[in-house]
Amino acid sequence: MLNLSGKNALVTGIANSRSIAWGIAQQLHAAGANLGITYLPDDKGKFEKKVLELVEPLNPSLFLPCNVENEEQIQATFDAIQQKWGKLDILIHCLAFANKEDLSGDFSQTSRLGFNKALEVSTYSLIQLSGAAKPLMTEGGSILTLSYLGAVRAIPNYNVMGVAKAGLEASVRYLAAELGPQNIRVNGISAGPIRTLASSAVGGILDMIHHVEQVAPLKRTVTQLEVGSAAAFLCSDLSSGITGQILYVDAGYEIMGM
């Protein structure tokens, strides 16, 4: 029943085979979506080559550089979508960054520059990309972002990223309210801890994963593909009545008191 054939989906945030965005891209492709992939460009072209080799089996029809701190690259990305596809149906936002020194230690010592950087990349980029996607979602659409429990609870070694994710979840609600009349749905997935390139910056990530395995009702953590399956559902017509929500895909850990 889950069929995304004829849907154009832009996926951001793939860094390597451990990325949650990679799990989402695989499941969207399996459901029949036509994919566009963005990557974070670097001077040596290392990321471009790595991501291109990874996504080649998914046969993306667009492969574009997009640093969300660069207005020109964002504009170029959506101009390419307009020219190649004419419309956009799905936007996957899997972007987050904070300086490592702002994730640990005393939260009150967060630097101004570090705070602004984390909020710009991790939170504002969803607003920015949604605004660019809005005129291209002429037949309605689905926008999906990734959050974490640290948005609503204090998590060790998460600090400024918790604030960024809290802002991200609030942005989901405000965007859902704005875009709903155009039949554009906006949701988030709060995934359990997964060992990714981004999570490796969080001190004690392996301890967090082991704790979830002990406490969560399913006695395990989740995989990228499980998050990808939930994402495909939220991007499909099967979830047509769902917007403004944060869906926990964490083996049930969020419900436990101790």
Side-chain angles (χ1 to χ4, degrees):
M1 292 179 63
L2 203 164
N3 185 1
L4 296 177
S5 298
K7 302 290 188 182
N8 297 321
L10 181 70
V11 180
T12 67
I14 297 176
N16 56 34
S17 61
R18 289 184 174 179
S19 300
I20 295 177
W22 170 235
I24 293 174
Q26 288 177 280
Q27 299 299 64
L28 295 181
H29 174 73
N34 174 42
L35 296 183
I37 305 292
T38 69
Y39 63 92
L40 180 65
D42 65 291
D43 293 338
K44 297 182 179 179
K46 181 177 66 173
F47 291 147
E48 178 181 4
K49 181 180 179 182
K50 181 183 292 185
V51 176
L52 182 59
E53 290 177 352
L54 179 65
V55 303
E56 186 177 4
L58 306 186
N59 193 30
S61 60
L62 284 174
F63 185 75
L64 302 163
C66 188
N67 181 342
V68 291
E69 295 179 280
N70 186 316
E71 297 278 356
E72 292 180 357
Q73 287 187 15
I74 293 173
Q75 186 62 52
T77 295
F78 286 89
D79 285 347
I81 292 172
Q82 174 70 62
Q83 294 167 10
K84 179 82 172 182
W85 293 345
K87 71 178 180 74
L88 180 65
D89 303 291
I90 296 167
L91 171 63
I92 304 296
H93 175 272
C94 298
L95 303 169
F97 177 83
N99 293 325
K100 192 167 185 177
E101 60 267 26
D102 291 319
L103 292 174
S104 59
D106 293 338
F107 176 59
S108 63
Q109 298 306 303
T110 304
S111 68
R112 183 184 300 273
L113 288 176
F115 183 89
N116 291 340
K117 176 89 168 181
L119 271 289
E120 180 180 3
V121 176
S122 311
T123 309
Y124 179 68
S125 62
L126 173 66
I127 302 167
Q128 193 173 29
L129 295 183
S130 296
K134 179 179 176 180
L136 294 177
M137 290 186 161
T138 53
E139 299 177 8
S142 179
I143 298 172
L144 184 71
T145 190
L146 281 180
S147 190
Y148 174 61
L149 187 62
V152 295
R153 299 187 193 177
I155 301 291
N157 301 313
Y158 208 59
N159 285 9
V160 71
M161 188 55 70
V163 176
K165 292 298 189 183
L168 185 74
E169 293 191 5
S171 298
V172 165
R173 294 185 284 272
Y174 280 97
L175 287 168
E178 173 194 341
L179 302 177
Q182 292 181 230
N183 196 32
I184 299 172
R185 298 180 297 106
V186 187
N187 293 290
I189 289 177
S190 185
I194 297 174
R195 195 173 182 184
T196 65
L197 181 62
S199 71
S200 65
V202 178
I205 182 63
L206 292 180
D207 292 335
M208 293 167 64
I209 291 173
H210 294 327
H211 178 69
V212 169
E213 291 170 341
Q214 293 171 356
V215 175
L218 296 183
K219 301 302 178 187
R220 62 177 179 83
T221 189
V222 293
T223 68
Q224 285 91 337
L225 286 179
E226 286 179 311
V227 178
S229 295
F233 162 71
L234 287 173
C235 292
S236 76
D237 292 339
L238 294 178
S239 63
S240 59
I242 301 174
T243 194
Q245 302 301 308
I246 306 298
L247 175 64
Y248 284 88
V249 182
D250 65 351
Y253 179 79
E254 185 269 340
I255 71 169
M256 301 302 292
M258 58 184 296

